[in-house]
């Protein structure tokens, strides 16, 4: 925050994500080599196809970097042995809770 302005306010929109946007999440009981291959193929095909339709660079490095930053904030909440205080948008918080509930059922 420079001079009291967020990154979004000073024109660096690629460094923020407001949340509550459409997304897909696939949860599975077991991650096998075949399942992982299918997930990678599905993701790459989806990303490439959307980029062609919208005429954008689907593999934009700013988006990749933002994803890494967001993941680093969420990983501790996924791995915590105690119930974390979630301060995300409703979609992200619900997904984290669902993942934790599924993980705890398997213990």
């Amino acid at each position: 925050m420079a001079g009291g302005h967020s990154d979004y306010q000073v024109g660096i929109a690629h460094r923020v994500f407001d949340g509550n946007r459409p997304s897909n999440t696939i949860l599975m009981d077991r991650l096998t080599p075949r399942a992982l291959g299918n997930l990678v193929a599905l993701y790459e095909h989806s990303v490439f196809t959307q980029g062609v339709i919208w005429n954008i660079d689907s593999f934009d490095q700013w988006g990749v970097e933002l994803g890494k930053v967001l993941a680093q904030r969420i990983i501790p909440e996924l791995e915590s042995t105690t119930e974390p205080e979630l301060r995300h948008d409703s979609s992200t918080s619900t997904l984290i809770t669902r993942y934790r509930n599924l993980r705890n059922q398997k213990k």
Side-chain angles (χ1 to χ4, degrees):
M1 211 131 106
H5 297 305
S6 71
D7 288 336
Y8 190 79
Q9 291 171 321
V10 295
I12 309 175
H14 63 271
R15 295 189 61 195
V16 297
F17 184 75
D18 297 328
N20 280 335
R21 296 188 183 207
S23 65
N24 295 312
T25 302
I26 300 171
L27 301 174
M28 58 184 68
D29 292 331
R30 212 167 56 132
L31 182 62
T32 64
R34 182 182 182 101
L36 179 60
N38 286 336
L39 287 173
V40 170
L42 174 68
Y43 177 76
E44 287 182 348
H45 178 74
S46 172
V47 168
F48 173 77
T49 301
Q50 290 173 18
V52 169
I53 291 169
W54 296 331
N55 194 28
I56 61 170
D57 178 5
S58 300
F59 300 97
D60 170 35
Q61 192 59 36
W62 288 115
V64 172
E65 293 303 317
L66 177 58
K68 290 178 186 178
V69 170
L70 296 174
Q72 290 305 314
R73 294 179 191 164
I74 291 173
I75 289 172
E77 296 168 342
L78 294 172
E79 296 176 342
S80 175
T81 56
T82 60
E83 194 66 35
E85 182 179 342
L86 302 176
R87 296 181 178 179
H88 304 282
D89 59 88
S90 62
S91 175
T92 302
S93 294
T94 300
L95 182 57
I96 291 170
T97 300
R98 180 165 169 81
Y99 168 82
R100 289 178 53 81
N101 289 340
L102 288 170
R103 184 193 66 191
N104 291 337
Q105 286 176 2
K106 298 200 182 296
K107 288 183 179 182

